[in-house]
Amino acid sequence: MTGLHASILDTIGNTPVVRLARLAPEGVEIYAKLEAFNPLGSVKDRMALGIINEAERTGALRPGQTVIEATSGNTGIGLAMVCARKGYPLVVVMAENFSVERRRLMRFLGAKVVLTPASEKGSGMVDKARELAATHGWFWTRQFDNEANAQTHSRTTAREILRDFGGNGPDYFVTGSGTGGTLKGVAKVLRAESPATRIILAEPENAPMLASGLAQPFRADGRPESHPHFRPHPMQGWSPDFIPDLTRDAMAAGWVDAVQPVSGAEAIRLARELARQEGIFCGISAGATLAAALVVARTAQPGSRILFMVPDTGERYLSTPLFEQIGQEMDKDERAISESTSLCRFGAPAARPATAAQPIPHPSTQARDFVEAAITSRDQPVVMFALEWCEFSWSVRRFLQDLGVAYRSVDLDSVEMQASASEIRRALHYRTGQPTIPQVFIGGTHIGGATDLLAQHDRGDLLPLLAKAGIQPTDPKALNALGYLPKWQAARPTAQLTSDGV
């Protein structure tokens, strides 16, 4: 997307359609519509903007009113973007079993995230959103039955598909069973303007709510009950434990030509294959939709064009089974590559030219005085000489904050320290014998680097040191201090941990 834009919201939509080269069987063309190209990385950006715009138009949403929705994450992330730009507070209700990356993204964008027990399933988080909206007078976006959801896809997604396929549409359109917004909105337009396009709706094999033909049950007050055929599945964003109104509308209208079941294992496998063979980084639901498209391809006429939706990006799934086989440390092959040359490898000294040990340069008196004044201050007995963007410095900061210990951070890479930073580092090196940053002092006593401080806590030695310096943590809860280290460092055996820094 080129040109100048008045708002991030102007960049939503017009996502690319890409032909698969290696995963498509011979004789048919399979295309992916990559919704990760939306600004917040998913198809739900479209719906979030459409619902908020329509609510503003009708007056259902008042200026400054809090917005609330129940979501597996992508809708909440899209709403967080839209609400941030438009100035609405946002509360998202989310079942606890959805990926933690989504919670953090929403909170980063300024939303409040309220979790519900996994045992209450999708209908539970919807009930909670309904209750909160009624109690506080908030605007509930109702993504599962809000017609603005489907209208957004009729107005944008469907039009883009017709444009990109030359006006006639693909031979097959394959999408997943989520809120029903994409399904209803696109199917309505394709059925009217490209009636030859067959519409395939994929759903989890172990939760065949649509394939069963069993109607969605409702409670006496009109709220949906958990469908008898629902079972937990890995396709986040697909098939809550009830059939949404928008999905039922599309089914009742006869717009769905077939319901294709997809196994969770096949969804995960094909999501990985999309990344490794096509370079398309996506989530589990995209792998599931591709699985359905590949089933369609087996019986499609030669030359058929099949379009499937890729709803989001793989970064939403780092804590899910999609990444469970992706290691953090080097595997056997990677270690073999590392060990094929001598430099910068673990477990063996690097083959560098031998040099004589150099004495530590004598620091200036001014730098020594600055260091001594900092570490002997009674007002701030905990001091860390740090770098603003050093991972180990951040480990210490987060740990001390969580422990409830006030501290002073002398950030040597800050603007105000630029002129004297090198001399102060020389003074620290001269005093401690350690050239790395961070270096921590408590009550004038040198503790060491990040790992030294955290290890002392885990051994039980830190709290007595703090007490000796007259410091009582305000939140002395049980912490795994070494767990605050950067993930690549925390994974190393304790015996190998050193006073790491920069």
Side-chain angles (χ1 to χ4, degrees):
M1 186 172 290
T2 59
L4 305 178
H5 301 281
S7 161
I8 187 66
L9 306 182
D10 294 339
T11 68
I12 295 173
N14 286 305
T15 55
V17 172
V18 175
R19 183 176 175 180
L20 300 191
R22 300 178 63 190
L23 291 176
E26 188 175 351
V28 299
E29 300 174 8
I30 297 183
Y31 294 87
K33 188 159 177 61
L34 304 181
E35 291 298 297
F37 278 73
N38 283 302
L40 261 292
S42 90
V43 67
K44 301 300 186 181
D45 292 359
R46 297 177 185 264
M47 178 257 284
L49 179 60
I51 286 179
I52 296 299
N53 280 349
E54 179 65 10
E56 289 177 328
R57 187 189 69 80
T58 62
L61 175 59
R62 304 184 304 274
Q65 186 179 10
T66 295
V67 175
I68 186 169
E69 183 54 288
T71 168
S72 65
N74 281 332
T75 295
I77 293 166
L79 283 170
M81 169 187 61
V82 175
C83 290
R85 177 61 181 83
K86 288 177 172 283
Y88 297 106
L90 174 66
V91 175
V92 171
V93 181
M94 185 175 176
E96 64 178 334
N97 53 312
F98 293 119
S99 63
V100 296
E101 298 91 296
R102 302 178 185 213
R103 302 181 204 171
R104 300 184 74 182
L105 282 168
M106 289 183 282
R107 287 169 174 149
F108 188 83
L109 286 159
K112 299 296 185 184
V113 180
V114 175
L115 300 179
T116 56
S119 60
E120 299 294 329
K121 296 174 280 193
S123 55
M125 66 184 190
V126 172
D127 287 345
K128 185 67 172 180
R130 179 188 292 106
E131 180 184 43
L132 287 169
T135 300
H136 300 288
W138 294 340
F139 173 69
W140 179 26
T141 59
R142 298 175 18 256
Q143 62 168 326
F144 297 102
D145 57 52
N146 192 328
E147 191 62 29
N149 180 354
Q151 290 171 352
T152 295
H153 290 286
S154 292
R155 188 175 60 253
T156 66
T157 315
R159 293 297 162 193
E160 293 167 25
I161 291 170
L162 288 173
R163 178 198 65 199
D164 293 343
F165 281 88
N168 293 323
D171 296 293
Y172 296 87
F173 173 68
V174 185
T175 189
S177 55
T179 65
T182 302
L183 169 67
K184 181 178 180 180
V186 174
K188 181 179 181 180
V189 173
L190 291 183
R191 188 59 83 230
E193 300 187 30
S194 181
T197 299
R198 288 178 56 79
I199 296 166
I200 311 300
L201 180 59
E203 73 171 348
E205 181 180 64
N206 69 325
M209 294 183 289
L210 297 170
S212 72
L214 184 64
Q216 169 62 45
F218 290 90
R219 302 167 188 165
D221 60 3
R223 291 181 296 155
E225 289 186 347
S226 187
H227 195 282
H229 284 273
F230 174 79
R231 298 292 183 275
H233 57 83
M235 286 78 104
Q236 295 188 23
W238 267 27
S239 300
D241 65 313
F242 57 92
I243 303 174
D245 288 357
L246 298 176
T247 301
R248 290 190 291 112
D249 290 347
M251 297 291 290
W255 294 336
V256 176
D257 293 295
V259 175
Q260 178 58 53
V262 177
S263 76
E266 186 70 350
I268 291 172
R269 183 187 75 82
L270 285 172
R272 292 171 180 158
E273 291 303 303
L274 274 168
R276 293 169 179 173
Q277 296 200 50
E278 301 286 350
I280 295 173
F281 188 43
C282 63
I284 300 172
S285 53
T289 316
L290 173 58
L294 290 174
V295 172
V296 169
R298 293 174 195 161
T299 57
Q301 291 293 319
S304 293
R305 299 186 300 176
I306 303 168
L307 174 66
F308 73 100
M309 295 294 288
V310 177
D312 63 2
T313 169
E315 291 178 354
R316 306 279 156 86
Y317 299 86
L318 295 174
S319 63
T320 74
L322 183 60
F323 279 79
E324 67 181 359
Q325 296 178 9
I326 308 301
Q328 181 171 290
E329 299 301 309
M330 289 190 292
D331 62 20
K332 179 181 178 182
D333 292 339
E334 291 164 338
R335 286 195 299 272
I337 294 171
S338 172
E339 292 168 2
S340 66
T341 61
S342 60
L343 293 180
C344 300
R345 49 182 279 198
F346 295 97
R352 300 181 184 275
T355 57
Q358 297 295 318
I360 301 172
H362 201 282
S364 67
T365 300
Q366 184 179 8
R368 282 192 297 169
D369 289 347
F370 177 88
V371 170
E372 289 302 317
I375 66 180
T376 57
S377 170
R378 292 185 177 181
D379 294 333
Q380 294 176 310
V382 179
V383 62
M384 172 175 67
F385 292 86
L387 298 173
E388 286 184 310
W389 305 114
C390 165
E391 287 183 283
F392 295 98
S393 299
W394 273 105
S395 296
V396 174
R397 288 189 182 96
R398 290 189 295 111
F399 166 71
L400 291 176
Q401 288 166 1
D402 288 352
L403 193 62
V405 172
Y407 66 96
R408 176 189 178 190
S409 181
V410 181
D411 295 326
L412 299 178
D413 55 346
S414 62
V415 173
E416 60 269 25
M417 297 296 295
Q418 285 179 351
S420 56
S422 59
E423 276 297 313
I424 292 173
R425 287 197 70 158
R426 186 177 294 122
L428 280 170
H429 189 184
Y430 190 84
R431 190 186 194 286
T432 66
Q434 300 294 328
T436 56
I437 297 293
Q439 293 298 326
V440 181
F441 296 81
I442 296 177
T445 300
H446 178 229
I447 303 302
T451 305
D452 300 312
L453 174 75
L454 300 174
Q456 285 216 22
H457 174 273
D458 288 351
R459 290 197 304 267
D461 298 335
L462 182 62
L463 293 182
L465 280 173
L466 291 169
K468 185 178 179 181
I471 303 165
Q472 178 61 45
T474 60
D475 193 12
K477 53 183 175 293
L479 296 173
N480 171 24
L482 288 172
Y484 283 76
L485 288 170
K487 293 294 185 290
W488 58 269
Q489 175 77 348
R492 292 167 62 184
T494 303
Q496 296 180 14
L497 293 177
T498 60
S499 182
D500 293 277
V502 177

